Amino acid sequence: RRSAAAAGPPLLCHPTNGALLVRTTRGGEVTYHGPGQLTSYPILPLSSAPFKKDLHWYLNKVEEVVIRTLSRFGLSGVRDPRGTGVWVSGRKVAQVGIGCSQWITQHGFAVNVTEECMPYFKEIVPCGINESVGGVACLSELAGMELSVQEVAEEVVVSFGEEFGVKVTAET
């Protein structure tokens, strides 16, 4: 069982890439957050308009934000019955893990943007997704052009505002 006491200091450090393994209270299996990814943790009051007290609604909206963003780079993102997140050509490009306490959202999503994040995925089976079911990919590879985390972040802000019908401010 996960509990607040389960979170803590790093358990180990990878001998070649220096990545830290940290136990958290977040759900899911193993994932990676680090260089080459855009990680966004929106904090929203789902009990207030224009939001809804509905976690499935919120999860679908978050996935749609990513799908809208991908379309701005010529990519067709989709949902997949294998799990939450967003997929392109059968490969996962965005992980979504939401949480909520008293209808205030926690956690969020991570989009694999550059090749810099890809070596870390070779060391784990992220979200239970391995190469036999398509594996993971990054936007730069799929779009066939170098993208920066910053330019994808700017498009996520626009997509988020459009999808939720709100004005968005971003903090980095």
Side-chain angles (χ1 to χ4, degrees):
R1 290 186 58 146
R2 298 185 201 303
S3 69
L11 301 175
L12 68 101
C13 180
H14 191 278
T16 58
N17 66 25
L20 300 176
L21 173 64
V22 179
R23 184 179 309 277
T24 70
T25 58
R26 188 177 105 31
E29 294 292 326
V30 176
T31 196
Y32 163 80
H33 291 312
Q37 274 189 335
L38 169 63
T39 303
S40 176
Y41 279 22
I43 301 170
L44 304 171
L46 295 184
S47 59
S48 300
F51 308 111
K52 294 182 182 180
K53 290 171 92 174
D54 182 334
L55 294 180
H56 288 104
W57 173 86
Y58 178 64
L59 175 67
N60 284 331
K61 288 288 214 182
V62 168
E63 289 172 332
E64 193 58 37
V65 166
V66 176
I67 289 168
R68 279 179 183 252
T69 301
L70 297 183
S71 72
R72 297 174 190 280
F73 297 102
L75 297 170
S76 180
V78 298
R79 293 176 184 86
D80 191 289
R82 291 177 280 189
T84 60
V86 178
W87 306 69
V88 174
S89 300
R91 297 170 70 196
K92 195 168 191 177
V93 296
Q95 299 69 240
V96 178
I98 63 168
C100 189
S101 177
Q102 299 178 350
W103 296 108
I104 305 294
T105 62
Q106 309 167 24
H107 307 303
F109 62 94
V111 179
N112 305 328
V113 177
T114 72
E115 293 285 342
E116 186 178 12
C117 66
M118 298 312 292
Y120 295 93
F121 288 112
K122 292 182 184 351
E123 303 291 333
I124 63 174
V125 180
C127 308
I129 305 301
N130 60 34
E131 291 299 321
S132 70
V133 292
V136 296
C138 70
L139 299 187
S140 290
E141 172 194 355
L142 295 169
M145 65 179 136
E146 286 299 315
L147 298 171
S148 72
V149 172
Q150 181 62 39
E151 70 185 302
V152 174
E154 291 167 4
E155 296 301 333
V156 163
V157 168
V158 173
S159 295
F160 201 94
E162 290 172 352
E163 187 61 31
F164 284 95
V166 296
K167 182 178 180 193
V168 179
T169 58
E171 292 184 23
T172 56

